[in-house]
Amino acid sequence: MNLLALPAFADNYIWMVHDDTRAFVVDPGDAAPVIAALESRRLQLAGILVTHHHADHVGGVQALRPLLAEGGVVHGPARERIPEPFVPLNGGDTVDLLGLRFCVIDVPGHTAGHIAYAQQGVAQAPLLFCGDTLFSAGCGRLFEGTPAQMAASLAALAALPDDTQVCCTHEYTLSNLRFAAAVEPANAAIAGHDAHCRALREAELPTLPSTMALERRINPFLRCSEPAVMAAARREGAANDEPVAVLAALREWKNRFR
Ligand code: ZN
Ligand code: FE
């Protein structure tokens, strides 16, 4: 199975999984890069997965729908407005595509009905499509949800295996690492990963997928119980050392961080 990150807009990735014959895509905000990838590799479109309703994730769905092969459908979050028709999914549901099985996880916070797709039943390197909930070294903005919801959503994702391939939908890694370094100046893993990602970006390569093991070491939003992160959050106004208060303070700090 092949995994591709198709660049779209300024900093989106549309993830494509293919077996050299058929493909599915995740969050096609734009149809053009998907059509180009399908044509150049002579692939049939077997399905579309959507994580949440934002335009940069669903904008290409209607243009791609006529390209869906027999039996191919659009899957999306049951509690959000997704271009119709689509198969509505809730946490705990499963989706089978190209012989891969994904479990749906409810991850509200960025939007109210945001879902993630976590591959099940493989021995190594399961795929995770987490939309705008978890970014490398960061997390999505809280447009529709609360810090408590985002904390629970990130905890659910952080419980996935170490070698999970974290497929986020934005190339925000370098700016997120700059924030992560401000939160934890003494965390050598952040500096090391920053050097690695700078080299990737200079070569015009994605910094993604990340792994869950790496995110647990560098992502301040997954490190709300670390003393250094709690102390930084306190300096930025966190009311206490509870993970939700720490996450809320980090998120607000990140919103104004330049
Ligand atoms: Zn979004
Ligand atoms: Fe987005």
Side-chain angles (χ1 to χ4, degrees):
M1 206 57 67
N2 305 283
L3 178 66
L4 301 173
L6 308 178
F9 309 118
D11 52 29
N12 283 65
Y13 292 123
I14 300 167
W15 292 95
M16 173 178 277
V17 176
H18 75 84
D19 62 6
D20 293 315
T21 305
R22 296 178 304 157
F24 70 85
V25 291
V26 185
D27 286 350
D30 187 6
V34 176
I35 292 169
L38 293 170
E39 287 182 349
S40 67
R41 293 172 177 80
R42 300 175 184 276
L43 301 168
Q44 288 186 313
L45 185 60
I48 296 173
L49 302 179
V50 170
T51 64
H52 69 292
H53 69 85
H54 285 159
D56 62 313
H57 300 250
V58 303
V61 167
Q62 295 304 40
L64 291 173
R65 193 184 295 278
L67 302 184
L68 281 167
E70 176 98 29
V73 296
V74 179
H75 290 88
R79 287 174 293 148
E80 299 208 342
R81 191 196 289 257
I82 302 299
E84 300 275 356
F86 72 101
V87 176
L89 298 172
N90 291 289
D93 288 345
T94 56
V95 178
D96 292 293
L97 267 170
L98 304 189
L100 312 182
R101 170 158 288 189
F102 294 89
C103 183
V104 175
I105 305 174
D106 281 321
V107 287
H110 176 69
T111 61
H114 199 306
I115 59 174
Y117 299 86
Q119 193 184 0
Q120 300 285 291
V122 286
Q124 287 186 328
L127 295 163
L128 170 67
F129 299 108
C130 49
D132 287 353
T133 298
L134 175 63
F135 295 127
S136 186
C139 75
R141 286 177 185 260
L142 298 175
F143 286 122
E144 299 174 10
T146 64
Q149 286 178 318
M150 182 57 102
S153 296
L154 293 176
L157 298 180
L160 295 169
D162 274 355
D163 61 347
T164 298
Q165 302 187 67
V166 181
C167 302
C168 324
T169 41
H170 289 275
E171 181 61 69
Y172 291 160
T173 312
L174 288 178
S175 63
N176 285 344
L177 284 166
R178 213 160 51 75
F179 176 73
V183 177
E184 285 188 277
N187 183 335
I190 292 169
H193 194 56
D194 185 68
H196 175 65
C197 289
R198 279 175 195 282
L200 288 171
R201 296 308 293 150
E202 275 165 26
E204 296 182 23
L205 293 170
T207 63
L208 304 169
S210 181
T211 66
M212 202 57 77
L214 177 64
E215 292 309 312
R216 281 194 283 265
R217 292 168 66 210
I218 65 167
N219 192 322
F221 296 93
L222 300 186
R223 296 172 61 77
C224 292
S225 298
E226 290 291 322
V229 176
M230 293 190 293
R234 283 278 195 155
R235 288 194 295 275
E236 295 293 325
N240 56 57
D241 286 340
E242 294 303 315
V244 172
V246 172
L247 185 139
L250 289 181
R251 190 55 263 182
E252 287 190 13
W253 179 10
K254 176 74 166 68
N255 291 348
R256 59 179 188 266
F257 186 80
R258 292 289 176 268

